[in-house]
């Protein structure tokens, strides 16, 4: 399977069972033969409805098509499914829907390079505005650059939530933290941003059924 096949394979499909079958095929190719999405996984179905812009299905599943995705759950499976969603592409250029970067990478980059390291994710430059998915919020360490010590993801998500309200710039996040754990680590404001600007999707570490 070529890279272009990976990017284009899901785009024209509308029937969920067919989409799920393709996702399973691609998931096995990318992540190994043990990858499987069961037929009763409403979290995945909600993510597909969002990716395909299916208004009726999204409404039934409680998904706001204008908001980003906050995908939570233990283990790496949620990140693998988010990667498949990233590969749902849009004509005419068939580019991935968003870029992804780990929160740990950004945190480490800030410790080395300071505030310049987070500019690509919060810029107001029209040419550089992008939808991003930040992988594993909560796994990053508190960053320190000279005398400045902070959780950089709190600042990034705060800024991007403001950009979402002004301009519709989307942000996606995956995390193994529960909502109370997010509040304990980052504060109430961060939990409030995530609640108001994201669709919260729960993904189990193993599929719900074997079908």
């Amino acid at each position: 399977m070529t890279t272009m096949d990976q990017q284009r394979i899901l785009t024209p499909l509308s029937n969920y069972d067919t989409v799920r079958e393709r996702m399973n095929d691609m998931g096995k190719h990318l992540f190994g033969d043990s990858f499987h999405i069961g037929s009763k996984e409403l979290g995945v179905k909600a993510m597909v409805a969002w990716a395909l812009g299916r208004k009726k299905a999204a409404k039934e599943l409680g998904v706001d098509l204008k908001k980003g995705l906050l995908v939570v759950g233990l283990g790496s499976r949620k990140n693998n499914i988010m990667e498949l969603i990233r590969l749902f592409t849009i004509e005419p250029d068939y580019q991935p829907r968003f870029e992804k970067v780990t929160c740990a990478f950004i945190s480490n980059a800030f410790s080395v390079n300071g505030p310049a390291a987070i500019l690509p994710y919060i810029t107001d430059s029209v040419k550089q505005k992008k939808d991003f998915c930040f992988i594993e919020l909560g796994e990053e360490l508190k960053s320190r650059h000279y005398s400045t010590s902070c959780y950089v993801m709190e600042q990034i998500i705060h800024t991007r939530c403001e950009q979402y309200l002004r301009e519709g710039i989307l942000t996606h996040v995956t995390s193994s933290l529960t909502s109370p754990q997010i509040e304990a680590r980052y504060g109430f404001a961060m939990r409030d941003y995530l609640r108001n600007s994201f669709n919260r999707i729960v993904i189990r570490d193993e599929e719900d059924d074997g079908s």
Side-chain angles (χ1 to χ4, degrees), residues 112-168:
V112 175
N113 300 314
I118 69 174
L119 290 180
Y121 314 108
I122 61 174
T123 180
D124 280 328
S125 169
V126 173
K127 291 183 179 180
Q128 296 185 31
K129 285 179 182 175
K130 299 176 182 178
D131 292 350
F132 276 98
C133 178
F134 300 110
I135 303 295
E136 291 295 358
L137 178 71
E139 285 196 356
E140 78 281 4
L141 299 175
K142 199 167 190 178
S143 301
R144 179 177 294 278
H145 183 73
Y146 294 110
S147 62
T148 301
S149 179
C150 64
Y151 285 117
V152 294
M153 292 310 305
E154 181 180 3
Q155 179 180 347
I156 289 173
I157 290 176
H158 179 189
T159 301
R160 291 186 64 87
C161 284
E162 291 180 343
Q163 290 177 331
Y164 161 74
L165 293 174
R166 292 197 312 265
E167 306 165 53

Side-chain angles (χ1 to χ4, degrees), residues 3-211:
T3 300
M4 182 57 71
D5 289 335
Q6 292 171 8
Q7 292 182 0
R8 297 182 63 162
I9 194 168
L10 298 173
T11 308
L13 305 176
S14 57
N15 178 275
Y16 175 68
D17 288 334
T18 305
V19 172
R20 186 174 64 86
E21 181 180 344
R22 290 291 188 89
M23 291 178 74
N24 277 325
D25 289 343
M26 190 187 300
K28 286 177 170 57
H29 173 77
L30 293 175
F31 312 120
D33 291 340
S34 64
F35 182 88
H36 181 73
I37 297 171
S39 61
K40 296 181 181 180
E41 294 195 73
L42 293 181
V44 179
K45 192 170 186 178
M47 293 170 74
V48 170
W50 177 89
L52 294 178
R54 299 292 186 249
K55 294 181 180 180
K56 181 178 179 181
K59 184 177 181 179
E60 291 173 351
L61 293 164
V63 173
D64 187 335
L65 297 177
K66 295 181 180 180
K67 294 182 178 181
L69 301 176
L70 168 61
V71 185
V72 300
L74 300 176
S76 62
R77 187 167 178 267
K78 64 183 179 296
N79 300 323
N80 294 342
I81 294 173
M82 196 61 179
E83 172 63 7
L84 298 180
I85 294 297
R86 190 178 78 91
L87 298 178
F88 278 67
T89 58
I90 303 173
E91 294 185 66
D93 55 2
Y94 290 104
Q95 295 300 309
R97 301 180 67 94
F98 48 82
E99 295 189 17
K100 64 176 184 177
V101 60
T102 67
C103 297
F105 174 86
I106 298 174
S107 178
N108 292 337
F110 179 87
S111 294
V112 175
N113 300 314
I118 69 174
L119 290 180
Y121 314 108
I122 61 174
T123 180
D124 280 328
S125 169
V126 173
K127 291 183 179 180
Q128 296 185 31
K129 285 179 182 175
K130 299 176 182 178
D131 292 350
F132 276 98
C133 178
F134 300 110
I135 303 295
E136 291 295 358
L137 178 71
E139 285 196 356
E140 78 281 4
L141 299 175
K142 199 167 190 178
S143 301
R144 179 177 294 278
H145 183 73
Y146 294 110
S147 62
T148 301
S149 179
C150 64
Y151 285 117
V152 294
M153 292 310 305
E154 181 180 3
Q155 179 180 347
I156 289 173
I157 290 176
H158 179 189
T159 301
R160 291 186 64 87
C161 284
E162 291 180 343
Q163 290 177 331
Y164 161 74
L165 293 174
R166 292 197 312 265
E167 306 165 53
I169 302 297
L170 290 182
T171 302
H172 312 289
V173 174
T174 73
S175 181
S176 297
L177 300 181
T178 64
S179 295
Q181 288 172 331
I182 287 173
E183 181 174 351
R185 185 180 179 91
Y186 302 102
F188 175 78
M190 177 73 141
R191 181 177 179 176
D192 197 46
Y193 297 145
L194 295 175
R195 181 174 61 243
N196 293 326
S197 301
F198 292 79
N199 296 290
R200 186 175 184 273
I201 307 290
V202 177
I203 297 293
R204 295 179 183 271
D205 196 32
E206 296 182 358
E207 70 273 15
D208 287 354
D209 59 45
S211 61

